Amino acid sequence: QVQLIESGGGLVQAGASLRLSCVASGRTFSLFAMGWFRQAPGKEREFVAAITRSGGDTYYTDSVKGRFTISRDNDKNTVYLQMNSLKPEDTAVYYCAAKYFAYSSNQNDYKYWGQGTQVTVSV
């Protein structure tokens, strides 16, 4: 089993920055590719970003490219999502997720999920 705990969400104005963190426990962190997903009110959960086990490769959905950065520290069992130039449309509950080995943008491929952290961006 793997437990994932997100933190760092909050209420900010448009243009501001936030950094989300997700700490993993229970299994060897470096076995897992990690992803961030989000779910806005009334919408389906969507892929935001993913990072390979070593951190050498990262992937983003088009709407966040150039604004968000995913990174990880395997010594701290933590994955981060740095979010800059936030927009109201970024408002959502953000989830981190873990899957063994290869990265994926498909949420159905992820085995472990955190409880989510709310990000609200006001105009």
Side-chain angles (χ1 to χ4, degrees):
Q1 277 285 10
V2 173
Q3 293 79 43
L4 302 173
I5 300 178
E6 302 102 332
S7 62
L11 171 63
V12 297
Q13 290 187 325
S17 298
L18 280 175
R19 188 176 81 157
L20 306 183
S21 300
C22 173
V23 179
S25 61
R27 295 296 297 270
T28 303
F29 186 61
S30 60
L31 287 175
F32 298 97
M34 300 297 296
W36 284 98
F37 294 80
R38 66 186 179 186
Q39 186 167 22
K43 296 186 177 181
E44 293 187 354
R45 189 161 57 187
E46 65 173 355
F47 170 75
V48 176
I51 189 166
T52 54
R53 290 187 293 157
S54 67
D57 291 290
T58 56
Y59 306 88
Y60 301 92
T61 192
D62 285 346
S63 63
V64 307
K65 284 180 181 176
R67 298 189 299 122
F68 290 12
T69 303
I70 188 171
S71 62
R72 67 189 294 163
D73 185 336
N74 285 350
D75 291 334
K76 295 182 178 179
N77 291 354
T78 303
V79 62
Y80 304 98
L81 186 67
Q82 178 67 44
M83 305 185 295
N84 298 329
S85 302
L86 282 161
K87 304 176 181 180
E89 50 263 44
D90 295 317
T91 295
V93 177
Y94 283 71
Y95 299 90
C96 75
K99 70 174 299 292
Y100 284 106
F101 308 124
Y103 121 91
S104 172
S105 62
N106 186 339
Q107 60 181 302
N108 295 321
D109 293 334
Y110 285 79
K111 184 175 179 65
Y112 301 105
W113 291 83
Q115 82 288 352
T117 185
Q118 177 71 48
V119 172
T120 304
V121 184
S122 63
V123 298

